[in-house]
């Protein structure tokens, strides 16, 4: 992947460079994969599945960013970097953009309105990220 875009984000203070830690990346991947597996459990509530899929997405997106030698404190930016860290296509990371907006509504306004279609799309997207991290 080209790091030009990521380096530009460093220049404007949105990302920091930091040498990758194999242990940190492995831990994030392990956490993300476990949450992803649990998000597929249809016996759980829609809300729980959404939380699990969202947190799996964040863990794996952060693993990709850390593996590339960058760090961000911004959840949304971690998702935006996926085309540059693992080559995720724009339509795929936009699923995570939609999930992030819904997560913020739930977190800050107490409104979680998700359906299984979004959860299924999140799971497919996160599976693509996990495959690219292998």
């Amino acid at each position: 992947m080209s790091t030009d875009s990521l380096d530009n984000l460093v220049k404007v203070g949105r990302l920091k460079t930091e040498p990758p830690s194999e242990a940190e990346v492995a831990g994030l991947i392990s956490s993300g994969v476990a949450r992803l597996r649990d998000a597929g459990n249809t016996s759980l509530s829609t809300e729980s599945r959404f939380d699990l899929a969202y947190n799996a997405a964040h863990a794996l997106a952060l693993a990709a960013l850390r593996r590339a030698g960058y760090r961000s404190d911004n959840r949304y930016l971690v998702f935006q970097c996926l085309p540059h860290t693992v080559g995720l296509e724009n339509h795929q990371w936009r699923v995570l953009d939609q999930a992030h907006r819904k997560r913020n509504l739930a977190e800050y306004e107490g409104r979680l309105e998700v359906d299984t279609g979004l959860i299924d799309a999140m799971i497919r997207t996160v599976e693509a990220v996990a495959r690219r991290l292998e």
Side-chain angles (χ1 to χ4, degrees):
M1 303 295 120
S2 169
T3 60
D4 292 344
S5 296
L6 299 175
D7 289 337
N8 286 337
L9 289 170
V10 171
K11 288 177 187 171
V12 298
R14 301 284 315 272
L15 286 180
K16 300 171 193 149
T17 58
E18 184 177 319
S21 159
E22 287 183 36
E24 179 185 13
V25 171
L28 288 165
I29 291 171
S30 176
S31 173
V33 168
R35 287 184 169 108
L36 177 59
R37 182 179 53 249
D38 292 346
N41 182 348
T42 58
S43 69
L44 296 175
S45 70
T46 302
E47 292 82 3
S48 292
R49 292 183 66 216
F50 175 83
D51 285 344
L52 287 162
Y54 179 85
N55 286 314
H58 184 260
L60 292 171
L62 183 56
L65 190 63
R66 291 295 301 122
R67 180 181 277 173
Y70 299 90
R71 181 176 294 282
S72 175
D73 297 327
N74 182 306
R75 283 179 172 262
Y76 185 70
L77 188 59
V78 170
F79 294 142
Q80 279 184 307
C81 290
L82 283 168
H84 308 291
T85 56
V86 295
L88 204 66
E89 295 182 31
N90 286 336
H91 74 274
Q92 291 174 302
W93 88 259
R94 285 192 185 109
V95 169
L96 302 180
D97 169 54
Q98 181 182 7
H100 181 75
R101 284 185 274 123
K102 293 204 179 263
R103 176 247 183 210
N104 281 352
L105 282 174
E107 195 75 19
Y108 302 114
E109 296 180 26
R111 292 188 349 222
L112 182 59
E113 299 168 3
V114 296
D115 58 43
T116 57
L118 175 59
I119 294 168
D120 292 342
M122 289 170 63
I123 289 171
R124 286 190 304 274
T125 300
V126 178
E127 287 172 341
V129 174
R131 280 191 306 272
R132 292 167 192 212
L133 283 169
E134 290 176 348

